[in-house]
Amino acid sequence: MEFFFNAADDVVDDALSGLARIAPVRISERGSGMRLIVDRDFDRDRVAVISGGGAGHEPSHAGLVGRGMLAAAIAGDLFTSPSVEAVLAAIREVTGPAGCLLVIKNYTGDRLNFGLAAERATREGYKVRTVIVADDVSLPEDVGARGLAGTVFVHKIAGHHAAAGADLDAVADAAEATTRDLVSIGLSLSSATLPGTAREPRSPELGLGIHNEPGVSEVAPEDAAQAVAMALEPLLKTADARHGRDARWAVLVNNLGGCSTQEMGVLTDQVLRQLPEGRARIAVVPAALMTSMNMHGFSITLLPCDDATEAALASDTAAVGWPGAASVTEPATFAPTPSADKQPGGGGRDARIGEQIRAAADALSAARSELDELDASAGDGDTGTAFDRGATAIRRALDDDRLSTGDPARLAEEIGDVLARDMGGSSGVLLSILFTATAAALADGRPLGEALTAGIGRMQDYGGARPGDRTMLDALSPAAEALTDGSLAAAAAAARQGADATADMGHAGAGRAAYVRDDALAGIKDPGAEAVARVFEALAG
């Protein structure tokens, strides 16, 4: 199983059924031969804005049905225009005396099927106007531009005027003006995958459509910034030629289906950074709006934006697929308040303690590869790397004379601060809690073994693990107990025994190892417990 589909032939109907369970729409019955999605609350006294096309572009067009956008959408099979009868049925379902506007993307199948439906509806007495969206700027002038994600702007602006009560001519004129002004271009790292087929290997391409057709040129961007620059260059060249260099833009960064949320955030940041300063006025929240199944790519659309356009794009809609739009500003920043300067290293010095701490840090760094290998059996193989990072930070603090080696309470607190800042990961935070709580107990006059036991208790409270859960506690707890009654040598022996015992623990009760099968852990020591044992052995000399 590669995708979460059922039967390939049922993908479109299943997706529409899922939409209808959460959106304010009605859908045509399965088996009718048509896939119609209509606004269940539509006021037939308003102009009906209708759009559609082949499926595979979700949430367009069905997810854009709702008050303030589309009155109806018609879906065909994947990347295949709906039939004339389906378009005509949608017109009949939602069109009242105010008439309807058909929004058509510039593809032959859509133009023919929607066009014939418009002619037949007119003969039946309906008032119908059409607008054809051709916003792709990547093709030569002698080739008809394709309709891309700019279609969504047409849906929103026409739907806004229709919802406000404008007549058919006003709605259609606003849509036509929007269509004339739109510019769009797409870039993708991969082709799309249709249900039941294998993904076609394809190099990254610039200037592609939304039906898995190849782009106009192969590209090789090294990162997101370069990909955006490649797309913006021809886009701005056309936009500035049409509208001048002073035009301010409404910006739409569209996910073609395969980009993660993080990628869309990075792409949006780059688009708004790279557009000339002050030119981006309003931006649609980055989202998948006109997809090409799971194509790993994006498209950028620019639309000149005045007060009326901004109001239309910012107006309310019940369509669940519209993510909203927001004014574009420079990121507002602030300086976080750091912890008060504790003047590290302000306490006394004890050269012997410093040498012991350095020996422990060196032992952890030397064990990095072995600890990583142990962790690879149960986690992501980075325990040794994390402990080495902490050890390196401790050595640096020693070199910079920032540790109060002659003041145990202050030393423990300083080590906790270093680990919290520089070690990172769960282990770094847990060890910082351990040292910070131990420092508090030492400051209260408790002996080292008792103070360490108190620190372990606080670490358990926050971390949730207990001895026997196959964690560093299985070495740390017996070491603290031995330290209370004996010497560092006794603590080191207890830690070693505890660490070795984790190899025979069949089940992990905490950490990533808790998600690993028990048989996969057999005979493997816990890397955190092993690290603790190495520390005590180094401290004991």
Side-chain angles (χ1 to χ4, degrees):
M1 180 175 177
E2 187 175 1
F3 300 104
F4 291 108
F5 297 142
N6 298 314
D9 292 341
D10 293 336
V11 169
V12 179
D13 292 310
D14 289 348
L16 292 178
S17 178
L19 173 72
R21 295 178 187 278
I22 60 170
V25 300
R26 294 180 292 122
I27 59 174
S28 54
E29 297 177 348
R30 288 201 190 198
S32 66
M34 305 176 189
R35 299 185 181 102
L36 313 181
I37 308 94
V38 303
D39 179 1
R40 71 184 180 206
D41 302 317
F42 184 66
D43 180 357
R44 290 168 63 95
D45 291 333
R46 307 285 185 184
V47 172
V49 181
I50 302 172
S51 187
H57 308 306
E58 290 74 24
S60 292
H61 307 79
L64 303 181
V65 173
R67 175 185 46 78
M69 290 195 77
L70 299 179
I74 312 99
D77 289 325
L78 293 171
F79 295 165
T80 303
S81 179
S83 68
V84 174
E85 281 300 321
V87 178
L88 190 55
I91 294 172
R92 295 185 186 120
E93 189 67 25
V94 296
T95 305
C100 69
L101 171 70
L102 299 185
V103 180
I104 308 167
K105 295 186 299 303
N106 194 29
Y107 295 96
T108 301
D110 289 344
R111 291 185 66 142
L112 293 177
N113 287 298
F114 279 80
L116 180 53
E119 295 302 315
R120 290 178 58 181
T122 299
R123 289 207 312 270
E124 292 182 18
Y126 292 100
K127 294 166 58 178
V128 182
R129 284 192 59 175
T130 62
V131 60
I132 296 175
V133 184
D135 53 320
D136 182 7
V137 303
S138 67
L139 298 172
E141 291 186 2
D142 59 346
V143 178
R146 296 167 291 201
L148 302 181
T151 309
V152 176
F153 272 148
V154 179
H155 293 164
K156 186 66 177 70
I157 291 171
H160 164 77
H161 288 287
D167 65 21
L168 178 58
D169 287 337
V171 172
D173 290 348
E176 288 180 347
T178 301
T179 298
R180 286 194 300 270
D181 290 343
L182 286 170
V183 289
S184 297
I185 195 168
L187 185 150
S188 183
L189 303 179
S190 76
S191 61
T193 309
L194 274 67
T197 68
R199 189 191 289 267
E200 172 192 354
R202 189 185 295 177
S203 299
E205 294 173 325
L206 176 67
L208 38 80
I210 56 174
H211 296 104
N212 213 26
E213 63 267 51
V216 298
S217 62
E218 291 188 1
V219 293
E222 295 182 356
D223 54 24
Q226 195 172 96
V228 167
M230 289 175 174
L232 280 180
E233 182 180 2
L235 191 66
L236 283 172
K237 181 178 179 180
T238 301
D240 289 345
R242 291 185 188 178
H243 304 294
R245 295 180 178 271
D246 295 328
R248 298 190 66 195
W249 305 109
V251 183
L252 190 161
V253 183
N254 171 60
N255 185 350
L256 283 169
C259 291
S260 68
T261 302
Q262 289 76 20
E263 287 174 295
M264 291 305 297
V266 172
L267 290 167
T268 299
D269 180 61
Q270 283 300 315
V271 170
L272 298 180
R273 279 178 183 270
Q274 294 187 37
L275 282 172
E277 185 176 358
R279 299 286 298 277
R281 174 170 175 169
I282 188 172
V284 176
V285 175
L289 283 165
M290 182 72 72
T291 62
S292 181
M293 293 296 293
N294 64 336
M295 183 178 283
H296 193 179
F298 65 95
S299 63
I300 307 170
T301 299
L302 302 179
L303 172 68
C305 186
D306 56 17
D307 290 346
T309 301
E310 182 170 357
L313 295 177
S315 64
D316 184 45
T317 176
V320 298
W322 174 251
S327 298
V328 176
T329 63
E330 283 297 306
T333 63
F334 68 97
T337 303
S339 299
D341 187 1
K342 298 178 182 178
Q343 295 183 330
R349 297 293 185 274
D350 185 320
R352 183 180 62 84
I353 297 298
E355 291 173 1
Q356 287 178 305
I357 293 173
R358 188 179 296 276
D362 290 345
L364 284 176
S365 293
R368 172 177 174 170
S369 296
E370 185 176 346
L371 295 175
D372 278 344
E373 186 176 348
L374 288 172
D375 188 41
S377 301
D380 49 11
D382 68 347
T383 293
T385 300
F387 274 93
D388 177 47
R389 193 162 52 240
T392 301
I394 293 297
R395 279 195 300 272
R396 189 181 306 119
L398 284 168
D399 293 339
D400 295 341
D401 197 26
R402 290 186 284 113
L403 295 182
S404 303
T405 53
D407 184 337
R410 192 161 186 168
L411 173 62
E413 185 176 13
E414 290 165 352
I415 291 176
D417 289 343
V418 169
L419 296 178
R421 184 182 64 246
D422 297 328
M423 182 172 175
S426 298
S427 296
V429 176
L430 286 169
L431 289 173
S432 181
I433 291 171
L434 169 69
F435 278 99
T436 302
T438 299
L442 287 170
D444 288 340
R446 299 169 71 175
L448 179 58
E450 290 184 17
L452 185 58
T453 299
I456 292 171
R458 300 306 294 162
M459 186 172 70
Q460 287 179 279
D461 290 341
Y462 291 109
R466 295 291 182 268
D469 282 343
R470 201 181 184 280
T471 70
M472 70 174 78
L473 285 175
D474 291 303
L476 191 55
S477 293
E481 184 177 349
L483 191 60
T484 301
D485 300 327
S487 63
L488 277 173
R496 169 50 57 200
Q497 184 177 359
D500 291 346
T502 60
D504 297 323
M505 294 179 182
H507 178 71
R512 289 192 179 96
Y515 309 119
V516 179
R517 300 188 323 273
D518 292 353
D519 62 314
L521 301 175
I524 299 173
K525 287 183 288 188
D526 176 71
E530 178 63 22
V532 169
R534 299 282 180 107
V535 166
F536 275 99
E537 288 169 344
L539 290 173

